[in-house]
Amino acid sequence: MPLPDLFAAFRWWVVLLILGASATPLAFRLLGRLPDRGYAFVKMLGLLGVSYLFWIAGSLGFVANDGGGLLLALVALIVASAVVAVRHWGLLRAWLRDSTRYILAVELLFALLFFGWVWVRAQNPAIMATEKPMEFAFLNAAGRSPIFPPLDPWLSGYAISYYYFGYVMISVIARVALVAEPLAFNLGVAWLVAGSGIGAFGLVYNLVAARLPLNTEKGHELGTPSVNRRALALGVVAALALPLAGNLQILMEMLHAHGIGSPGFWGWLNVRDISGPAEATGFGPTGPRFWWWWRASRVIREYDLAGVDQAGLEPIAEFPGFSFILGDMHPHVLALPFAFLSLAVALLWWLKPMAMPEQGRGIRNHIRSLLHEIGLPLLLLTAVVLGGLSFLNTWDVLIHLFVVVGAFVLAQWRRAGGWRNSFLLQGTLLAALLVVPAVLLYLPFYLGFRSQAGAPYLLPMLMQPTRLPHFLIIFGMPLWSILILVGSLLLRRRRRPWKAGLAAAGGLIGGLLLLMFLLGWIVASSPEGAARIADLAASLDIALPALAGEASVGERMLFGLRGTLLLAPALLAARLSAPWLVLLLAALAGAVVMLWIMILRPQPTAEAATPAEGEQTRAADAALPFVLLLVLTAALLTVGPEFVYLRDNFGVRLNTIFKFYYQSWVLFGVAALFALDYLWRQAQVRSVLRFSAGLATAGYGLLLVVALLFPVYGVASRAAEYAGPPTLDGLAFIRQSAPDEYAALLWLRDNVAGTPVIAEAVGGQYSEYGRVAASTGLPTILGWAGHEYQWRGATPEPALREPAVAAIYGDRSWEEARAALNRYGVEYIYVGPREVATYGPQALTKFADALEVAFASGDVVIYRWLPE
């Protein structure tokens, strides 16, 4: 790796250290109830704070999107943290002194993860294929645009209509570290690996080391706990298992590639491309199945009700290890470190002691009591984090809001010693108290955001359900210890509220079925939905009378009801043919409800055989209800897409499973490691549980070793794909394959200031088209049109602009070209091999006599045009 790249990585790491150090006093005050006082999350907190202050000040026009505005934001964070440090200096100094070993452990783990993945990215740094060009375009736009929101590089004259906060964050680090975007892209991925790893470490450490709160108002007065060695060890495992390990598809790939397994087994398993007989072809980066690692995110094979394979539209079951091997910097990856921060904040709501509001005094009394007991710091911190998640990856915010509100309700349940119906009201009020400031704090983003989603926002899932074997390939590793934990907890309790558990499980299935059929009726009553229902009925040979083109609303609703009822037997039959996944997840949800009822009672140690056993149980139960909340949330996220999904341009549940499974990976993964600690802690006083603890640990450990083969082989496969010298320069592959284009891109980056519009060829998405805008941040007339439709929904702009670009480069008259150039304010015209291949050889000569040459190198020429 070139020495300048190493220096860039070192500067990047130093900036993250500075941001973390700047936020440490704030974390000590705001996250003080956590056993580690929030130190594992200081880098996320510091980056979020600086980026938010910089973005909001720039969005409101108080500062420019430049180094001066960024410096002001950093100074503001340091000043705020310094004020907190001065006010609590005695406690903070004592904690720093007593926690030196823990702090060094955190920093060492972070450095190992960061520099380790810097090396990995250097093996295949190319910013090409998949979504990387789009992400690179947004990163460049975040640094080049004079204002927020940044200008859309692929639709000149428009701002980005996407959750772009993560690209602002990476740009903030890059500018402070003085790192150019082609290197910043790969260093950003390395930060996301290290940030996610340290976030997983911190969350598991704090859950394992957590204790029920004392009766005090100030978290930083709880004293300094000693470093919990088991919490430390499990935290390190979390730092590997959650962001780096693969799912169990790696095992399937290796078995198939070594000829192990009968044809009947592989046909039954039915994973795409390995459903045929196993052949001993060998496995590895040079094997015949070169993209084996890609299949790990496409395990679920989707079929419609008629049994037709939906190839190309199968659900995306991506997980962090896949994301980091792929090297994309998409919003769901950019949000991952902050998802761990959000879960840590939710844990605060579980640990924070609050008095119960008086009963029967009305909503106003509840609101006043909540505001008084919560306190402004925790409320504001939660709103900033949740709002930031929405800005980072909007899909995540409702999930994490659910966890926060759930943690609050569970805490109230525990303090009251029994369930009260008023908890639902309090939870609803808390959600409102969080949503309002979360929206207001990020209001400029929402005012300019346009979504592709249309009404209705939920659609019924009219495919065959997910098979349990596919689900276990994805989540088998964490579910192993979770299911052993839940089973052990149920078996060791004397009184088990079976009725409540069965009611919860049955209610979940029944409610989702009812919702699915209700949505089916609504969708089938619309003109678009009626055609879809008619096609589905025809594929199943179900006679459904056609609907007249001029049908009234009542007639459409009647048609929708008739179609839904006719399709109901086929839908139910499909679910009954593969019911095991839904039954498993519903049973898991019901078990969580049962365990809450048993644990959150006035005397949680009443069933203990001895005082020592009772104290051990109480200590182990400290975070158990919260962890069960994570399990329930993941179960709901994974069972929901079996019945309904969120509407988008794909028209299937591809994206819903993608986003929901990604968060479920984190939730299940954290709960699985907590389960190991819980079982061993209980085994110390209940010898009968030693078998369960040993079985859970041995099974999880074996599966983890297998899962860690994914990054080992994956890194080798990706390096073999690149086959170039190690570097962090994401554009180095262009230098090797198209040196003239590389020289042109460097010239544009180094010599063109501001955001003038540049014309380039228009072509399909996931291709080399749009590369000039993506690599420079300069807006072009039109980039990937398909993505613009995804971001903006129904818009006429892409359809209008593609002919205009053709008029500029094609064989039409110069007057038409000039009109198009003026209409879109073009100042530079890029002519290279793509333009010639797309529009013909006249693109080489059309501008030669009329325009000034700004840059020329080999087969690339850039012309300058002065808009009239």
Side-chain angles (χ1 to χ4, degrees):
M1 189 188 309
L3 195 59
D5 291 9
L6 288 174
F7 285 149
F10 178 76
R11 295 196 303 272
W12 194 280
W13 175 68
V14 169
V15 168
L16 290 169
L17 287 181
I18 293 172
L19 289 173
S22 301
T24 297
L26 285 173
F28 181 80
R29 173 66 181 90
L30 296 173
L31 304 174
R33 284 204 167 273
L34 299 179
D36 77 339
R37 305 301 182 259
Y39 186 79
F41 307 98
V42 293
K43 293 176 180 62
M44 287 79 93
L45 192 63
L47 181 57
L48 175 62
V50 168
S51 301
Y52 174 75
L53 292 173
F54 177 49
W55 169 80
I56 192 65
S59 297
L60 297 177
F62 295 132
V63 300
N65 182 18
D66 56 18
L70 188 52
L71 179 62
L72 285 176
L74 182 58
V75 169
L77 175 70
I78 293 174
V79 169
S81 210
V83 171
V84 173
V86 169
R87 292 185 60 184
H88 305 285
W89 177 242
L91 291 168
L92 177 60
R93 181 177 59 184
W95 176 79
L96 290 171
R97 181 186 63 243
D98 296 337
S99 302
T100 302
R101 287 188 301 166
Y102 177 81
I103 292 172
L104 290 176
V106 170
E107 294 302 337
L108 177 61
L109 179 60
F110 180 83
L112 289 174
L113 289 170
F114 176 75
F115 286 107
W117 216 257
V118 165
W119 176 84
V120 169
R121 290 308 306 149
Q123 310 309 306
N124 187 341
I127 306 174
M128 62 179 295
T130 62
E131 303 284 358
K132 292 186 189 66
M134 178 215 92
E135 297 150 7
F136 194 39
F138 284 178
L139 176 60
N140 280 297
R144 180 180 284 272
S145 295
I147 58 173
F148 292 122
L151 298 176
D152 188 338
W154 282 345
L155 199 70
S156 61
Y158 283 77
I160 292 175
S161 179
Y162 201 57
Y163 11 93
Y164 62 86
F165 195 28
Y167 304 104
V168 173
M169 289 182 171
I170 300 299
S171 180
V172 163
I173 304 174
R175 282 185 272 181
V176 175
L178 302 178
V179 175
E181 285 83 0
L183 277 72
F185 187 95
N186 288 303
L187 289 172
V189 175
W191 141 247
L192 293 171
V193 171
S196 300
I198 212 68
F201 166 88
L203 186 59
V204 169
Y205 179 91
N206 283 292
L207 285 170
V208 172
R211 294 295 182 270
L212 289 174
L214 302 175
N215 187 21
T216 177
E217 293 294 327
K218 298 180 180 179
H220 51 265
E221 293 180 357
L222 293 178
T224 302
S226 59
V227 175
N228 187 313
R229 292 184 179 179
R230 187 154 58 198
L232 202 65
L234 288 172
V236 172
V237 173
L240 297 175
L242 272 68
L244 296 181
N247 59 31
L248 300 182
Q249 176 64 14
I250 178 69
L251 177 61
M252 302 299 107
E253 295 286 345
M254 296 184 73
L255 292 175
H256 193 275
H258 286 87
I260 301 173
S262 67
F265 168 78
W266 293 110
W268 168 82
L269 189 63
N270 196 27
V271 173
R272 191 178 304 282
D273 296 333
I274 59 169
S275 58
E279 299 179 8
T281 56
F283 180 80
T286 59
R289 298 185 181 94
F290 201 59
W291 266 41
W292 62 268
W293 57 272
W294 179 267
R295 257 193 314 277
S297 69
R298 304 298 194 277
V299 173
I300 300 173
R301 198 160 182 178
E302 193 88 300
Y303 294 89
D304 66 14
L305 292 178
V308 178
D309 189 357
Q310 303 297 296
L313 290 176
E314 63 268 14
I316 301 174
E318 191 169 325
F319 50 91
F322 174 89
S323 305
F324 295 134
I325 292 294
L326 179 62
D328 273 12
M329 200 161 61
H330 217 54
H332 66 282
V333 185
L334 290 162
L336 190 56
F338 303 92
F340 288 108
L341 173 62
S342 175
L343 293 174
V345 171
L347 180 58
L348 289 176
W349 287 86
W350 162 250
L351 295 175
K352 181 178 174 62
M354 286 186 286
M356 296 293 298
E358 298 180 27
Q359 299 297 305
R361 293 280 304 276
I363 293 179
R364 184 176 300 177
N365 174 61
H366 282 285
I367 294 176
R368 283 201 301 264
S369 178
L370 284 172
L371 290 173
H372 174 73
E373 295 295 335
I374 292 170
L376 184 60
L378 180 57
L379 187 69
L380 185 60
L381 170 67
T382 309
V384 169
V385 172
L386 289 177
L389 271 181
S390 180
F391 196 178
L392 281 159
N393 188 40
T394 305
W395 288 76
D396 296 350
V397 66
L398 292 180
I399 299 170
H400 286 264
L401 177 65
F402 177 84
V403 176
V404 168
V405 173
F408 166 76
V409 170
L410 288 175
Q412 296 293 71
W413 188 351
R414 184 193 72 216
R415 295 171 195 119
W419 176 260
R420 298 180 184 177
N421 291 332
S422 60
F423 295 161
L424 296 177
L425 172 62
Q426 293 173 35
T428 303
L429 293 175
L430 175 62
L433 289 174
L434 291 172
V435 167
V436 171
V439 171
L440 292 177
L441 286 168
Y442 294 88
L443 189 60
F445 161 65
Y446 294 106
L447 291 178
F449 180 64
R450 297 293 180 269
S451 173
Q452 61 173 309
Y457 295 100
L458 286 175
L459 293 176
M461 206 286 281
L462 303 179
M463 299 284 181
Q464 294 186 15
T466 304
R467 295 176 60 228
L468 181 59
H470 293 168
F471 187 81
L472 293 180
I473 288 175
I474 300 168
F475 292 114
M477 181 176 70
L479 281 176
W480 174 265
S481 55
I482 290 173
L483 292 176
I484 292 177
L485 170 67
V486 171
S488 299
L489 287 170
L490 288 174
L491 291 175
R492 77 177 177 86
R493 304 278 175 165
R494 295 176 184 174
R495 293 176 294 175
R496 293 180 284 275
W498 293 111
K499 291 183 179 179
L502 290 173
L508 176 61
I509 295 175
L512 287 171
L513 277 172
L514 181 61
L515 178 61
M516 182 182 70
F517 284 115
L518 179 61
L519 288 172
W521 180 21
I522 294 173
V523 170
S525 300
S526 67
E528 176 187 353
R532 183 180 178 188
I533 293 295
D535 291 341
L536 182 57
S539 70
L540 297 171
D541 294 326
I542 295 175
L544 180 61
L547 182 66
E550 300 297 328
S552 64
V553 173
E555 290 172 330
R556 287 202 302 270
M557 292 186 66
L558 184 60
F559 173 85
L561 180 59
R562 185 186 298 115
T564 303
L565 293 176
L566 288 173
L567 289 174
L571 288 169
L572 291 174
R575 274 149 182 77
L576 290 174
S577 67
W580 307 115
L581 174 59
V582 170
L583 291 177
L584 171 67
L585 295 173
L588 188 58
V592 168
V593 173
M594 292 171 61
L595 289 171
W596 278 339
I597 294 173
M598 292 187 288
I599 295 169
L600 300 173
R601 62 188 189 275
Q603 296 178 339
T605 61
E607 298 176 0
T610 66
E613 182 179 331
E615 180 61 29
Q616 189 72 24
T617 299
R618 185 180 186 277
D621 282 354
L624 177 59
F626 179 82
V627 172
L628 291 174
L629 172 64
L630 303 186
V631 173
L632 175 66
T633 305
L636 295 177
L637 289 174
T638 49
V639 76
E642 298 304 308
F643 298 89
V644 297
Y645 63 93
L646 296 174
R647 176 174 181 165
D648 58 22
N649 281 358
F650 293 105
V652 291
R653 60 174 182 159
L654 176 153
N655 230 9
T656 300
I657 282 190
F658 178 12
K659 302 295 187 177
F660 285 4
Y661 274 39
Y662 208 80
Q663 291 300 311
S664 299
W665 179 273
V666 171
L667 300 173
F668 277 143
V670 169
L673 289 166
F674 175 87
L676 298 180
D677 170 75
Y678 186 93
L679 289 168
W680 279 113
R681 201 182 303 187
Q682 288 295 291
Q684 294 175 11
V685 292
R686 292 176 179 262
S687 58
V688 71
L689 290 179
R690 290 177 185 172
F691 176 76
S692 297
L695 182 64
T697 304
Y700 184 89
L702 179 61
L703 294 174
L704 177 60
V705 170
V706 171
L708 286 174
L709 293 175
F710 178 83
V712 172
Y713 282 104
V715 169
S717 288
R718 296 289 283 151
E721 290 175 30
Y722 182 65
T727 177
L728 291 176
D729 183 0
L731 298 180
F733 75 100
I734 304 178
R735 180 177 57 203
Q736 298 170 10
S737 60
D740 294 326
E741 182 175 11
Y742 182 78
L745 294 177
L746 287 188
W747 182 85
L748 289 169
R749 291 183 59 85
D750 295 339
N751 295 279
V752 177
T755 55
V757 178
I758 185 167
E760 62 176 314
V762 176
Q765 54 189 359
Y766 303 108
S767 68
E768 295 179 350
Y769 289 92
R771 180 186 280 175
V772 177
S775 301
T776 62
L778 296 171
T780 191
I781 299 173
L782 180 63
W784 290 2
H787 276 57
E788 291 294 343
Y789 287 122
Q790 290 181 37
W791 302 330
R792 303 176 188 277
T795 173
E797 280 300 317
L800 295 174
R801 292 181 176 222
E802 190 165 355
V805 178
I808 293 173
Y809 288 103
D811 56 6
R812 300 182 192 178
S813 69
W814 174 246
E815 290 302 320
E816 288 186 77
R818 183 167 61 181
L821 292 170
N822 289 329
R823 185 184 316 136
Y824 294 105
V826 174
E827 295 187 37
Y828 292 92
I829 303 171
Y830 182 97
V831 180
R834 278 189 303 279
E835 285 67 30
V836 175
T838 305
Y839 302 107
Q842 74 283 342
L844 287 172
T845 58
K846 186 170 185 177
F847 312 103
D849 296 331
L851 300 180
E852 171 193 354
V853 174
F855 171 87
S857 177
D859 56 5
V860 174
V861 181
I862 301 176
Y863 296 95
R864 183 178 285 111
W865 167 261
L866 298 177
E868 299 170 353

